[in-house]
Amino acid sequence: ADDGELLFHRTAALATATVDLFEQNRVIPAAVLTRSIVETVAVLFDFHEKLERFLKDEDRDRHALDEFLTRCLMGSRNNPNPEMPKAVNILTLIDRLEKTAPGVRFIYDALCEIAHPNWAGTFGAFGKGVGGATWEMTELELGPAEQIPAYSAGLSMLSGSLAAFDYYYNGSGELVRQLNDYFDKGGTQ
């Protein structure tokens, strides 16, 4: 169950780059990476929950736990090899996290808006209409806006995501130890 350690390394790599981008006021790429961190937190949350449930359940389903771990570690949506496991659907995991942390899906969706080339990720970040309402403007100024809503939303979500990651990562360590003990004793406790 090294899934937690792999997620730790992924989060550290993403967070380091994200902080650098926010410091450089490169908000759109920072928000896109923040979205990736939220997705990683959702996987870690599900990992933590599945380990907890497995260890508490009298009728432990070793196959279901193994399948989940395999799908997280090896899953792919576009691998042509039919032997490869199907990746876990990230929106399903985001929605599971939403039940414990209400508001996560709303902010995740906002980060998706920034990641996509629509208003939040293009005109709202790189354009400014001059001379009337947006649809009546006489001039369009291009370039990064001084301060866009994505900056504070992205920083807030980054901070919250890293705190959540820390909580579930630290809690998962003890669960992995218990899981190892369970299997070291033959998986029959």
Side-chain angles (χ1 to χ4, degrees), residues 55-118:
L55 291 166
K56 288 180 182 174
D57 192 0
E58 293 290 323
D59 300 319
R60 294 183 173 117
D61 187 347
R62 294 168 65 168
H63 176 73
L65 181 63
D66 183 59
E67 181 180 331
F68 170 76
L69 294 173
T70 301
R71 289 180 70 198
C72 285
L73 294 170
M74 304 295 294
S76 175
R77 291 258 175 225
N78 62 356
N79 192 316
N81 181 349
E83 300 293 318
M84 291 296 291
K86 195 76 156 165
V88 176
N89 183 308
I90 197 62
L91 291 178
T92 299
L93 300 185
I94 295 285
D95 288 339
R96 285 186 192 151
L97 180 57
E98 170 72 20
K99 291 176 184 174
T100 298
V104 165
R105 180 61 193 256
F106 177 80
I107 296 172
Y108 177 78
D109 288 344
L111 292 170
C112 289
E113 285 294 306
I114 295 164
H116 299 145
N118 53 26

Side-chain angles (χ1 to χ4, degrees), residues 4-188:
E5 292 304 310
L6 294 170
L7 296 175
F8 174 83
H9 287 282
R10 174 184 166 82
T11 300
L14 291 169
T16 301
T18 303
V19 168
D20 288 346
L21 290 168
F22 273 122
E23 287 177 345
Q24 297 165 15
N25 202 28
R26 296 179 62 207
V27 178
I28 300 303
V32 171
L33 290 180
T34 299
R35 181 178 93 152
S36 296
I37 293 169
V38 173
E39 293 169 348
T40 306
V41 169
V43 172
L44 180 61
F45 169 79
D46 206 45
F47 172 71
H48 183 274
E49 295 293 299
K50 284 195 172 26
L51 287 181
E52 240 180 8
R53 199 172 317 122
F54 180 84
L55 291 166
K56 288 180 182 174
D57 192 0
E58 293 290 323
D59 300 319
R60 294 183 173 117
D61 187 347
R62 294 168 65 168
H63 176 73
L65 181 63
D66 183 59
E67 181 180 331
F68 170 76
L69 294 173
T70 301
R71 289 180 70 198
C72 285
L73 294 170
M74 304 295 294
S76 175
R77 291 258 175 225
N78 62 356
N79 192 316
N81 181 349
E83 300 293 318
M84 291 296 291
K86 195 76 156 165
V88 176
N89 183 308
I90 197 62
L91 291 178
T92 299
L93 300 185
I94 295 285
D95 288 339
R96 285 186 192 151
L97 180 57
E98 170 72 20
K99 291 176 184 174
T100 298
V104 165
R105 180 61 193 256
F106 177 80
I107 296 172
Y108 177 78
D109 288 344
L111 292 170
C112 289
E113 285 294 306
I114 295 164
H116 299 145
N118 53 26
W119 185 87
T122 55
F123 188 83
F126 300 107
K128 178 181 178 188
V130 179
T134 302
W135 56 90
E136 297 173 350
M137 64 188 162
T138 57
E139 187 178 323
L140 173 63
E141 291 180 10
L142 299 175
E146 285 298 311
Q147 185 72 20
I148 60 173
Y151 187 86
S152 58
L155 273 178
S156 175
M157 192 58 174
L158 175 63
S159 175
S161 295
L162 293 176
F165 186 90
D166 183 60
Y167 176 81
Y168 288 109
Y169 174 77
N170 288 329
S172 293
E174 174 58 24
L175 295 173
V176 169
R177 188 195 61 72
Q178 291 175 26
L179 185 69
N180 286 339
D181 287 349
Y182 170 78
F183 284 110
D184 284 347
K185 294 177 181 171
T188 58

